[in-house]
Amino acid sequence: MAFLNHRNRTICYRLLGDSEKPLLALAHPLGMTQGVWDDMLPPLLGRFRVLTWDLPGHGASSAWLEDAGEITPDDLANEALVLAQAAGATGFHFAGTSIGGVIGQQLVAEYGDRLISATLTNTGAIIGTPEAWNLRATNVRRKGLAAMAVEIVPRWFGPAACKEQPALLDGWKVIMGRGDDNSYALLCEMLGKTDFREKLRGRDVPVLLIGGSEDLATPPESLKALAQFSHSPDPVILEGIGHVPSVECPLLLADLLIKHLS
């Protein structure tokens, strides 16, 4: 792991692989950490230099500052750009899941000249409703992430992954519960305001969309709508997979990435 100071906060990141290879930046889902990509690293590092990082108040990245106001998609996209610049990359491939896919949409919409390609998984131009996100933010601040993880984490994974990995839910409940409550709540409020429906048209970045047939948070319809808004090919829908394919089928997702980026 390495650390970078940005806007008076510390970002924890990993930069792995040969500096001569093209850079692939990977952004994780809300409530998780950059560890979601670990099982994909062996095949990816054969083709790419890989950058991962923890979102604000997640993993080993510091919490969002109390006096810094709200978090915006542009704040998160700028973290990705700063890290890519630190890696010495003028252009890079990007892949992100859920809120990571929101970061990707912001990059496509506003910083397409920095992207070689974007892969957006289990996300949407709109995710959920403002009411639902604001309620979650309120509950997180009132109850804490450790308590909220009990009801949120089971929505992340499909039945097959839960059956094959009996400790999967318990492990991620622990990880989510260690996050910063306010940072998570601010990100929920950001998602409640996020709408990329009119921001992606005419953007000249190759986009691959991937979803899961068992995804409750961003179902296949979300990816199909995003394909229309972004004028992208129809999404790849992975059968039996929930919200986090990098955990549920890492080698399959890595194979799709490699084929797309090649």
Side-chain angles (χ1 to χ4, degrees):
M1 290 193 301
F3 299 91
L4 180 145
N5 291 323
H6 176 61
R7 296 180 180 173
N8 298 318
R9 289 184 50 255
T10 300
I11 303 172
C12 176
Y13 72 97
R14 296 182 300 186
L15 184 60
L16 306 171
D18 186 349
S19 62
E20 298 300 315
K21 291 184 169 68
L23 182 68
L24 170 59
L26 303 172
H28 69 77
L30 182 67
M32 305 184 88
T33 71
Q34 61 187 308
V36 298
W37 308 107
D38 285 358
D39 290 340
M40 294 176 58
L41 292 177
L44 291 179
L45 287 172
R47 302 289 189 94
F48 306 100
R49 193 181 195 196
V50 176
L51 168 68
T52 67
W53 70 101
D54 291 322
L55 295 179
H58 291 59
S61 286
S62 60
W64 196 253
L65 298 176
E66 292 286 345
D67 60 354
E70 65 181 15
I71 303 176
T72 68
D74 205 57
D75 290 324
L76 301 181
N78 270 283
E79 289 192 356
L81 293 171
V82 165
L83 290 166
Q85 182 178 9
T90 55
F92 60 98
H93 297 285
F94 176 90
T97 295
S98 191
I99 196 173
V102 170
I103 298 171
Q105 291 175 71
Q106 180 69 17
L107 289 169
V108 169
E110 300 294 339
Y111 305 98
D113 59 326
R114 298 289 305 277
L115 294 182
I116 304 170
S117 75
T119 300
L120 312 177
T121 96
N122 306 80
T123 191
I126 297 175
I127 302 176
T129 66
E131 295 77 14
W133 285 116
N134 290 336
L135 177 60
R136 183 182 292 191
T138 297
N139 286 336
V140 165
R141 290 190 174 103
R142 182 165 59 89
K143 300 178 183 179
L145 278 174
M148 291 295 294
V150 175
E151 62 184 75
I152 294 173
V153 171
R155 294 174 52 84
W156 289 348
F157 306 107
C162 296
K163 183 177 180 180
E164 292 166 4
Q165 305 177 57
L168 181 66
L169 298 185
D170 288 341
W172 280 105
K173 287 174 187 175
V174 172
I175 291 173
M176 181 178 178
R178 290 175 175 169
D180 176 67
D181 296 341
N182 188 57
S183 300
Y184 184 98
L186 287 169
L187 290 168
C188 289
E189 291 165 348
M190 182 201 83
L191 290 171
K193 300 174 184 176
T194 297
D195 184 345
F196 280 95
R197 287 177 295 183
E198 302 301 325
K199 298 179 181 179
L200 300 173
R201 301 183 191 279
R203 305 301 178 180
D204 190 23
V205 177
V207 175
L208 172 65
L209 302 176
I210 300 173
S213 67
E214 305 303 311
D215 188 348
L216 300 177
T218 52
E221 290 73 19
S222 294
L223 277 300
K224 293 173 184 176
L226 181 55
Q228 294 179 344
F229 297 133
S230 62
H231 289 215
S232 302
D234 289 341
V236 177
I237 303 300
L238 305 175
E239 288 300 319
I241 302 302
H243 191 57
V244 196
S246 61
V247 172
E248 298 176 70
C249 57
L251 297 183
L252 174 57
L253 183 58
D255 185 60
L256 288 171
L257 270 174
I258 289 169
K259 287 179 179 177
H260 174 61
L261 303 187
S262 298

